Amino acid sequence: MAFKQLKIEAFIEAPVSRVWQCWTRPEHITQWNFASEDWRCPSAQVDLRTGGEYLARMESRDGSMGFDFRGNYGEVVQEERVVLLLEDGRRAMTRFESSPTGTRVETVFDAETQNPPELQQQGWQAILNQFKFYVEHGFH
């Protein structure tokens, strides 16, 4: 099955080492991995190696909804790129491009078929925006 590919991106005013750490460590993922303040990511598991598993629990803050976002790493290149192969056959590749003033983060992902592509792109971009804010303002 061919999926439509969507792209999101952000420029983060932080060195790639910090951006990578916040993107790949569970204790950081739980701080930013949600699209809006009425959602949360109470837990994350990361086996950061090719073939390793990724799991993030996503829940509404009121407890009325939740799901597991799960996949396996298809490729991991330290501080450069991560490819996540999702359970439903979709793929998401995130690239990290270092510059003297920060790090450009770009994710190209396969759209699922249940929701309009525009809605998915907005949701993924909102999560990336939360990530940017966390790295620039909330990281300790």
Side-chain angles (χ1 to χ4, degrees):
M1 172 184 230
F3 295 100
K4 178 179 176 132
Q5 289 194 325
L6 303 174
K7 180 173 97 170
I8 58 169
E9 60 187 324
F11 185 81
I12 299 167
E13 294 178 13
V16 69
S17 58
R18 181 182 341 170
V19 171
W20 179 264
Q21 180 182 357
C22 291
W23 191 266
T24 60
R25 292 193 181 167
E27 66 270 23
H28 295 296
I29 294 168
T30 58
Q31 302 301 307
W32 58 261
N33 192 23
F34 40 87
S36 64
E37 291 302 318
D38 54 342
W39 280 82
R40 65 189 188 115
C41 179
S43 65
Q45 298 173 15
V46 173
D47 182 4
L48 190 62
R49 63 181 174 82
T50 300
E53 186 177 18
Y54 174 89
L55 170 64
R57 179 69 186 164
M58 313 294 281
E59 294 179 353
S60 60
R61 289 205 185 266
D62 68 6
S64 63
M65 294 181 284
F67 64 93
D68 290 333
F69 187 81
R70 181 187 304 262
N72 289 87
Y73 291 104
E75 182 181 22
V76 177
V77 179
Q78 181 83 17
E79 296 183 2
E80 283 184 29
R81 132 179 105 258
V82 174
V83 176
L84 193 58
L85 307 173
L86 304 175
E87 283 185 312
D88 60 6
R90 295 181 302 134
R91 179 177 187 263
M93 179 171 59
T94 301
R95 291 188 176 125
F96 305 85
E97 185 180 315
S98 182
S99 79
T101 58
T103 305
R104 185 174 161 271
V105 178
E106 174 191 273
T107 298
V108 176
F109 66 97
D110 295 336
E112 43 94 346
T113 57
Q114 295 178 340
N115 296 293
E118 302 78 27
L119 185 63
Q120 294 176 63
Q121 191 165 22
Q122 290 169 3
W124 283 57
Q125 184 67 54
I127 292 171
L128 184 56
N129 293 345
Q130 290 276 28
F131 175 74
K132 173 183 170 62
F133 184 83
Y134 174 72
V135 174
E136 292 178 350
H137 304 285
F139 173 83
H140 301 289

